[in-house]
């Protein structure tokens, strides 16, 4: 039950079926053992139903975004197609690409 609540806290829009699937994938529940209606009732009893979630105020502290502890431990990148700009020979339009690199580290008090 605690794992299901943690999964709901991470993403409030996550459905009960998705929570069950993640628990089964992680080996925390046997496939077919958890029933959707039962888990939905138990989440609602504890205040974590999808329509009335009491965990919103504590969400930032209890389920922080994924970050590595030290700098340069994890780099992420993304490439997107950009607009066509007149940068080619004879001011011919060329497509540009937008590239981003992020060092995803958090500041931790030790």
């Amino acid at each position: 039950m605690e794992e299901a609540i943690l999964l709901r806290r991470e993403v409030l829009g996550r459905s009960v079926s998705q929570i069950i699937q993640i628990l089964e994938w992680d080996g925390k529940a046997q496939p077919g053992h958890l029933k959707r209606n039962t888990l939905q009732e138990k989440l609602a009893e504890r205040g974590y139903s999808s329509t009335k979630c009491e965990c919103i105020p504590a969400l930032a502290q209890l389920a922080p975004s994924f970050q590595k502890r030290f700098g340069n431990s994890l780099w992420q990148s993304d490439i997107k197609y950009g607009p066509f700009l007149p940068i080619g020979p004879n001011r011919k339009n060329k497509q540009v690409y937008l590239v981003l690199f992020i060092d995803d580290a958090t500041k931790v008090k030790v």
Side-chain angles (χ1 to χ4, degrees):
M1 195 61 210
E2 297 303 319
E3 292 292 330
I5 290 172
L6 246 169
L7 290 170
R8 176 56 61 89
R9 281 188 200 159
E10 286 176 358
V11 179
L12 294 177
R14 186 175 278 155
S15 71
V16 174
S17 299
Q18 290 171 330
I19 292 172
I20 292 172
Q21 189 174 39
I22 293 169
L23 290 172
E24 290 176 352
W25 285 344
D26 289 345
K28 296 177 181 172
Q30 294 176 355
H33 182 72
L34 293 175
K35 302 299 179 201
R36 193 185 71 75
N37 290 339
T38 305
L39 184 57
Q40 179 63 43
E41 287 176 16
K42 296 297 181 187
L43 286 171
E45 285 174 8
R46 304 267 307 259
Y48 295 100
S49 69
S50 59
T51 55
K52 186 180 177 183
C53 187
E54 297 172 2
C55 63
I56 294 173
L59 181 64
Q61 295 173 352
L62 298 176
S65 62
F66 175 77
Q67 294 178 328
K68 287 290 190 178
R69 186 176 173 102
F70 301 105
N72 290 319
S73 296
L74 175 66
W75 282 85
Q76 299 180 34
S77 66
D78 197 6
I79 300 174
K80 299 288 181 192
Y81 289 100
F84 286 87
L85 298 176
I87 58 175
N90 301 326
R91 308 289 293 165
K92 182 179 175 185
N93 281 343
K94 291 245 183 194
Q95 185 168 21
V96 297
Y97 302 92
L98 308 171
V99 181
L100 174 70
F101 293 96
I102 301 172
D103 175 18
D104 193 17
T106 183
K107 295 177 182 163
V108 177
K109 293 181 182 176
V110 181

